[in-house]
Amino acid sequence: MAHILIVDDDETMRDALAEVVRDLGHSVCLAANGALALELVEREPVSAMFLDLRMPGIDGLEVLRRLRERPDAPAIAVLTAHATASNTIEAMRLGAFDHLTKPIGRNDLAQVLERMLASIVESQPLVASTEPETLIGSSEAMRAVQKTIGVLADSDATVLLTGETGTGKEVVARAIHEHGLHNRGPFVAVNCAAIPADLLESELFGHTRGAFTGASAEREGAFCQAAHGTLFLDEIGDMGMAMQAKILRALQERVVTPVGGRPVPVQVRVIAATHRDLMRGVREGSFREDLYYRLHVVPIHLPPLSARIADIVPLAEHFLARAGTRKRLSADAAAHLIRYGWPGNVRELKNAMERVAVMVRGEYIHATDLVFLQGERAGAADHVLDWPDEDLPSALARLEEMLIRRALRHSGNNRTDAARRLNINRQLLYAKLKRYGIEVADDRGGEGED
Ligand SMILES: Nc1ncnc2c1ncn2[C@@H]1O[C@H](COP(=O)(O)OP(=O)(O)OP(=O)(O)O)[C@@H](O)[C@H]1O
Ligand SMILES: [Mg+2]
């Protein structure tokens, strides 16, 4: 039971809302205008409120503005008969839990209230983290990567990181740097694909004053900047053959030659990364074979996220926390994340969590908040055991849905056969298909069933 404040200048409306809220088992206090509402919040332990927008004197938006400045502000749903784009946007911006239009049905009201009360634990603001990213992951693949990092951190060996875009190559490079002996110097990252070929040489090796037109001052290259630290050569597969020869020489002889200058010795650990298949580049003649083997001393491959199912939910929770929210994933949201294919890998997951951290108001993120992630991982329907479900009923529902989908697949969408495989009768199967919204395409065994 909670204490709910209803603010409306229309008495009939106030009483109607109060009746519903009381029926739901809560206590109610009423205010006919904004000033009274502010006073009541001072005096009474209000958990949530319904707030009318158009009122004489202090209007709803102003009440919202003043209340949201308080750290202990109640959850506030705006309720108006005059919804406009601008008052909707403004109310949400000011921190309204939701913006609803009158008239509102009993069920809708009950639902919003329930969500508002559930959201209260998260009303104290958290701040987004600015700490450097730590390496999250407990899948077999990530544990193997973590072990390798530990083993090679203190060595000088050149590391080649491969993996699709967004799999975490740069985070791994930073982890190697931070855990190793090479963190006495800085971590310097150079994206070889982003720098035009004719500037890359001076970027990496530096130049002397007057070495070329425009070189008005001496410049230290990345190899020297990273002295006693780590040089991260990102997208190394996108570099021209001439530069490849120079990099090879730097790696082998540990000297670099600034443009227009003399060779200087360098002490630096080099980590290279690419999303390309370098061996294929070698076969096709676009990547030097000797450089390939020079880089390949310690290869680390980061598998796509869809192949590291055990990492998905921990990463998602980590990114939510970093985004500065206490929001949590519901079991159905976790299942949705696990089934999704993640073409953009960890970066896509991070962006998705930052998006829902902002967009979702309420304690829980549900699968319906994640509809923008469309497209299943191949074979997703058969993975049922690696769920992080806390909530048994929804885990069982998920399991049931997956088994039904699989039975349909195995029976070529023949519902009679699927029901037999599942050992349930057809009527029950139909009911479940309807409940889970499963549409049966090309139902070959469907004719004459009924
Ligand atoms: N294991 C992980 N733990 C925590 N954060 C991660 C992890 N893997 C990736 N990230 C985050 O995901 C995002 C993408 O990672 P990163 O930049 O390292 O990918 P990448 O493999 O270098 O991609 P690209 O090839 O596109 O450059 C980053 O914001 C990074 O912090
Ligand atoms: Mg990268």
Side-chain angles (χ1 to χ4, degrees):
M1 179 182 130
H3 196 48
I4 314 297
L5 171 58
I6 294 165
V7 190
D8 203 306
D9 57 341
D10 174 350
E11 187 180 352
T12 329
M13 190 68 204
R14 267 196 322 267
D15 291 345
L17 288 172
E19 192 187 323
V20 179
V21 174
R22 280 199 196 97
D23 278 356
L24 293 167
H26 303 290
S27 61
V28 170
C29 54
L30 303 171
N33 59 53
L36 263 174
L38 291 170
E39 247 182 77
L40 273 172
V41 173
E42 290 292 337
R43 283 209 317 264
E44 299 192 21
V46 173
S47 307
M49 64 192 270
F50 290 100
L51 176 64
D52 186 22
L53 278 190
R54 280 205 191 171
M55 291 181 296
I58 304 177
D59 73 357
L61 284 179
E62 184 55 31
V63 172
L64 186 58
R65 189 175 294 115
R66 293 202 201 166
L67 284 180
R68 292 300 301 184
E69 281 167 5
R70 303 165 51 122
D72 59 344
I76 305 170
V78 162
L79 196 50
T80 179
H82 312 275
T84 63
S86 111
N87 68 34
T88 308
I89 293 169
E90 195 54 15
M92 294 310 279
R93 186 181 75 80
L94 289 172
F97 182 85
D98 207 341
H99 186 281
L100 311 160
T101 50
K102 293 179 195 170
I104 181 169
R106 218 182 165 80
N107 286 344
D108 289 342
L109 194 79
Q111 256 185 29
V112 181
L113 188 55
E114 191 184 324
R115 286 197 294 124
M116 279 206 278
L117 294 175
S119 78
I120 286 170
V121 280
E122 85 149 308
S123 51
Q124 289 103 328
L126 285 177
V127 265
S129 169
T130 50
E131 290 279 293
E133 193 66 84
T134 44
L135 196 60
I136 303 293
S138 52
S139 62
E140 280 304 311
M142 277 316 278
R143 296 203 6 96
V145 169
Q146 287 153 6
K147 288 176 193 171
T148 309
I149 293 174
V151 170
L152 60 81
D154 284 347
S155 79
D156 259 345
T158 303
V159 180
L160 177 63
L161 293 168
T162 55
E164 288 174 11
T165 180
T167 45
K169 297 184 290 295
E170 183 155 351
V171 214
V172 168
R174 287 183 191 275
I176 297 172
H177 171 73
E178 269 145 34
H179 289 277
L181 277 181
H182 295 271
N183 65 8
R184 280 173 293 144
F187 179 92
V188 177
V190 177
N191 185 335
C192 303
I195 299 169
D198 52 337
L199 293 182
L200 188 58
E201 181 171 4
S202 119
E203 182 77 27
L204 289 175
F205 304 126
H207 61 244
T208 55
R209 186 166 169 220
F212 47 84
T213 333
S216 54
E218 189 180 289
R219 164 161 207 226
E220 197 181 37
F223 269 91
C224 292
Q225 280 165 11
H228 308 291
T230 306
L231 175 62
F232 179 51
L233 296 177
D234 205 359
E235 307 298 356
I236 195 153
D238 295 47
M239 198 166 45
M241 292 297 256
M243 270 316 290
Q244 291 176 24
K246 290 181 178 155
I247 299 269
L248 178 65
R249 176 150 183 259
L251 292 180
Q252 266 168 354
E253 297 166 21
R254 304 261 156 204
V255 290
V256 295
T257 310
V259 180
R262 304 171 146 278
V264 284
V266 284
Q267 242 220 353
V268 59
R269 138 68 74 60
V270 173
I271 302 179
T274 180
H275 67 277
R276 292 185 191 278
D277 178 356
L278 289 187
M279 197 59 221
R280 193 167 141 202
V282 170
R283 279 197 305 272
E284 290 171 357
S286 62
F287 201 82
R288 288 181 69 114
E289 190 171 8
D290 45 9
L291 179 57
Y292 175 79
Y293 286 110
R294 189 69 194 73
L295 292 173
H296 213 259
V297 184
V298 185
I300 296 181
H301 179 68
L302 293 170
L305 183 58
S306 60
R308 299 189 250 148
I309 298 160
D311 292 345
I312 296 176
V313 171
L315 276 167
E317 287 172 342
H318 166 76
F319 292 135
L320 279 177
R322 270 181 76 89
T325 167
R326 285 197 185 79
K327 291 188 184 64
R328 303 204 299 153
L329 294 171
S330 68
D332 62 335
H336 188 95
L337 295 180
I338 287 170
R339 272 184 309 176
Y340 179 61
W342 299 112
N345 295 298
V346 186
R347 180 177 295 114
E348 186 182 8
L349 176 60
K350 184 177 183 181
N351 293 341
M353 291 304 107
E354 285 171 358
R355 168 169 168 171
V356 293
V358 176
M359 299 304 293
V360 176
R361 295 257 156 102
E363 187 188 0
Y364 279 94
I365 288 152
H366 294 283
T368 45
D369 300 318
L370 298 166
V371 284
F372 61 94
L373 301 171
Q374 287 280 345
E376 286 197 1
R377 170 169 51 88
D382 294 335
H383 281 271
V384 290
L385 293 176
D386 43 11
W387 269 329
D389 270 309
E390 291 159 31
D391 160 11
L392 190 58
S394 49
L396 291 176
R398 243 352 128 183
L399 179 64
E400 186 170 78
E401 182 186 340
M402 282 187 178
L403 292 175
I404 291 172
R405 287 187 189 274
R406 188 165 66 178
L408 284 167
R409 217 169 44 244
H410 290 172
S411 60
N413 279 340
N414 180 320
R415 287 176 289 186
T416 311
D417 186 34
R420 202 178 304 120
R421 283 168 188 264
L422 292 164
N423 198 20
I424 57 176
N425 66 40
R426 270 188 331 192
Q427 275 62 38
L428 185 56
L429 178 64
Y430 290 163
K432 289 184 187 298
L433 292 179
K434 202 166 161 206
R435 162 152 16 125
Y436 296 123
I438 302 175
E439 281 172 18
V440 183
D442 181 29
D443 188 359
R444 273 178 269 149
E447 310 101 65
E449 271 187 348
D450 296 309

